[in-house]
Amino acid sequence: MLTFTLRRLLLAIPILLVISLVIFLLVDLAPGSPMSEIPLTVPPDVRQKMIEALGADQPVFVRYLLWLKQFFWVEPMTLVDGWFGTDFTAGEQRILSWQSRSPVFTIIGQRIPQTLTVVGTAYLVGVLIAVPIGIYSAYRQYSFFDQAGTLFAMIGFSVPTFFSGTLFIIIFAVWLGWFPTKYDTTLEVTDWATFWEQVRQMALPVMTLGLANAAAISRYMRSSMLDNMAMDYVRTARAKGMSERVVVLRHVLRNSLIPVGTVIALGIPSIFGGAIITENLFGVNGIGAALIGAIHANDIPMVQTLAFIFAVLIVLFNLIADIIYGLLDPRIRYD
Amino acid sequence: MTDTSAAPKPSSPLRDVWAQFRSHKGAMFGLITLSVLIIAVLIGPYLWVPEKLSVAQAIKLKNQGPSLRFPLGTDQLGRDMLARMLLAGRISLAVGLVAMGIAIVFGTLIGVLAGYFRRLDGPLMRLTDMFLALPLVPLLLVMVMLFRDRIAGIIGPEMGAFTLIVFAIGITSWMATARIVRGEVLTLKEREYVLAARSIGARPNRIILRHILPNVISPVMVAATLGVAEAIITESVLSFLGLGFPPDFPTWGRLLYDGLQYMQVYPERVVWPGVAISLTVLSVNYIGDGLRDALDPRIRGR
């Protein structure tokens, strides 16, 4: 297992390097760079100075290597400096956003809590809805409940979040007036009243995303349960005279959760990636909104860094899912 | 359709598939709904020609509710919503089909090459892994944002947006097909009939075209159906974020985005395009489900 993990970690390095190069070049070499958007009324020498100030006059590979160094050395060390009061990075330049001239990672640090609160809760709610639905659908296969669950999952797959979210706003916020239409990022939870306010404003985005997540996970849960229900050990357990409750909830459920666990782990990068749509629709000021803002503002370093962070998370959680699978299921041997 | 008079028709694989497909209620619902939608957007614009209104007339007729003259009402510029919905549907469906076509051709090509030629397997599968690790929606947004104006300058804003979006979606959604095809090809090329073909001196391209490709068609068809649904959703996501088609060349996603500002007063303007997208995707998904069952000989006949 350890060898496998180490080998996969080593293999991840070249993959990530190639991805970083692809992202860097795609964003950097694209025609619509901000250099072309400096107004023509700006005198040439001023324009030259602006480009130099952004560091955009260097050759591509110099900027790429500098960005890699900043990403993998300067930024983590800045974090270490912040924790322990050391000064590894004194005088080193950090990755700066072209929009605000502040370090990209500071902005990400400010945005991440919003995303994690809303999108993370939604994911959790989705899993909590999906698992019981999956269990019961499989236990009573082809029953009315199972058919309804299948329909629910099909609709959940097919209705895009921007439409379900809009519908929820129209129904629950405009017509019924139960929840606010927009998420208020400045709200601070200090007492019960503000806590209740926070719950109310989180309700719609969490519902939108949670339903979409639940649809997919409940299908995986159902098919995994069905696979296990047909196993010999289930018949043995019943033959021993165990109650249905013990058979289903202890024997079958535990084994069925193994593949579902990896599916859940594989979905986690999308939490950080922020549901871009949902954050936009409800005005949650998270990572996804930051990415859209950066794209519209041609903020190249911000876009490159965010896109690469997402890629790192995807690779990382793929590895974690494989490891979880190997740890939980003794039949799986990678070595 | 069981005719008792004649002798039972000899069963052909295609008829078996159709019989199994027909027994899937969801798939039939999907097929009928999708056919209605496709026919509507194909011949609808010829049957429902919106009146030519002068600008002054149109401004007076803006934001109308549904009426006989405007069955779905008019938008904030007095344009007939039904005509716009039909036109938008054409483009949405065209985007879905063409993007899927690109993804399928590309995915099948990579899958066959990786599965058949052992030397290419490693590099091509690493490439697939890399594409799977790319954060696709952000990259699509970046691609559209950065290349839109340049391409629009070459072939015009409408065709430019279409080409760019279709190509961008196609080039980022071939990975699943490639993996499926590779797996199938790996098992198929060990079969005796492939060995027989090789032993009489058939060249690899003939073996692939005559013996292997026809046998990977069924998983590819399922992947293609689901690919259409995904491409339509991806396109509407781009349009929804304001990075899709220009407003005078609308898709359903773009209409929904335009309607968002008026959501509180005229919710129907968001609901119609949204329902159209959801219905299309739902029926395509059901068709894919039915096809998967129908093309799987282990399920067929049960």
Side-chain angles (χ1 to χ4, degrees), chain B residues 82-109:
Chain B
L82 179 60
R84 271 171 81 73
M85 280 286 293
L86 292 173
L87 200 65
R90 258 187 191 188
I91 303 165
S92 280
L93 291 174
V95 169
L97 290 172
V98 179
M100 174 276 287
I102 295 178
I104 289 298
V105 169
F106 204 63
T108 312
L109 183 72

Side-chain angles (χ1 to χ4, degrees), chain B residues 193-246:
Chain B
Y193 68 86
V194 176
L195 187 67
R198 199 183 303 156
S199 65
I200 57 169
R203 295 183 187 290
N205 56 352
R206 186 174 169 82
I207 297 181
I208 288 174
L209 289 178
R210 290 287 303 219
H211 300 287
I212 289 189
L213 269 189
N215 284 299
V216 294
I217 283 219
S218 38
V220 167
M221 266 172 70
V222 176
T225 342
L226 302 179
V228 173
E230 231 164 83
I232 290 178
I233 289 201
T234 311
E235 181 279 317
S236 47
V237 163
L238 292 179
S239 287
F240 179 82
L241 293 170
L243 287 169
F245 284 80

Side-chain angles (χ1 to χ4, degrees), chain B:
Chain B
M1 291 221 259
T2 47
D3 46 352
T4 45
S5 56
K9 285 179 186 163
S11 89
S12 80
L14 215 61
R15 194 169 303 132
D16 285 355
V17 167
W18 172 238
Q20 176 68 33
F21 186 82
R22 229 176 23 201
S23 71
H24 194 297
K25 267 185 247 153
M28 284 314 281
F29 154 82
L31 193 63
I32 293 169
T33 318
L34 193 68
S35 316
V36 168
L37 277 169
I38 289 180
I39 292 170
V41 301
L42 277 187
I43 62 170
Y46 299 110
L47 296 181
W48 181 259
V49 183
E51 324 165 29
K52 289 262 179 289
L53 297 173
S54 70
V55 174
Q57 279 173 316
I59 293 296
K60 272 186 215 145
L61 286 171
K62 69 177 182 184
N63 295 334
Q64 297 259 313
S67 62
L68 265 185
R69 194 171 165 202
F70 304 108
L72 295 183
T74 59
D75 70 356
Q76 73 278 9
L77 296 175
R79 290 175 291 194
D80 180 20
M81 277 300 282
L82 179 60
R84 271 171 81 73
M85 280 286 293
L86 292 173
L87 200 65
R90 258 187 191 188
I91 303 165
S92 280
L93 291 174
V95 169
L97 290 172
V98 179
M100 174 276 287
I102 295 178
I104 289 298
V105 169
F106 204 63
T108 312
L109 183 72
I110 298 237
V112 167
L113 289 180
Y116 195 83
F117 302 103
R118 185 168 297 164
R119 199 178 300 160
L120 293 176
D121 192 17
L124 285 180
M125 282 299 110
R126 291 292 83 73
L127 181 78
T128 315
D129 287 348
M130 200 203 83
F131 262 85
L132 281 172
L134 286 176
L136 292 182
V137 173
L139 280 191
L140 277 177
L141 292 171
V142 172
M143 274 160 86
V144 173
M145 182 74 188
L146 295 175
F147 292 96
R148 184 168 52 178
D149 295 339
R150 177 60 60 92
I151 293 181
I154 302 172
I155 45 178
E158 280 130 31
M159 274 323 286
F162 187 84
T163 317
L164 176 62
I165 288 175
V166 159
F167 181 74
I169 295 176
I171 211 75
T172 50
S173 48
W174 51 269
M175 291 83 76
T177 321
R179 283 197 156 178
I180 297 169
V181 171
R182 170 181 172 264
E184 291 280 313
V185 172
L186 277 180
T187 59
L188 283 176
K189 76 170 182 185
E190 301 300 330
R191 294 281 185 82
E192 282 84 356
Y193 68 86
V194 176
L195 187 67
R198 199 183 303 156
S199 65
I200 57 169
R203 295 183 187 290
N205 56 352
R206 186 174 169 82
I207 297 181
I208 288 174
L209 289 178
R210 290 287 303 219
H211 300 287
I212 289 189
L213 269 189
N215 284 299
V216 294
I217 283 219
S218 38
V220 167
M221 266 172 70
V222 176
T225 342
L226 302 179
V228 173
E230 231 164 83
I232 290 178
I233 289 201
T234 311
E235 181 279 317
S236 47
V237 163
L238 292 179
S239 287
F240 179 82
L241 293 170
L243 287 169
F245 284 80
D248 50 346
F249 190 65
T251 61
W252 283 331
R254 176 77 210 196
L255 287 185
L256 202 152
Y257 172 70
D258 289 342
L260 266 191
Q261 304 167 36
Y262 306 92
M263 174 174 77
Q264 311 225 352
V265 198
Y266 308 107
E268 71 272 11
R269 226 174 273 167
V270 183
V271 171
W272 286 123
V275 166
I277 297 173
S278 309
L279 256 186
T280 313
V281 176
L282 187 68
S283 29
V284 170
N285 276 339
Y286 265 127
I287 293 176
D289 234 27
L291 266 185
R292 193 187 343 239
D293 288 0
L295 291 173
D296 188 347
R298 284 168 301 179
I299 296 180
R300 206 188 301 153
R302 251 202 273 156

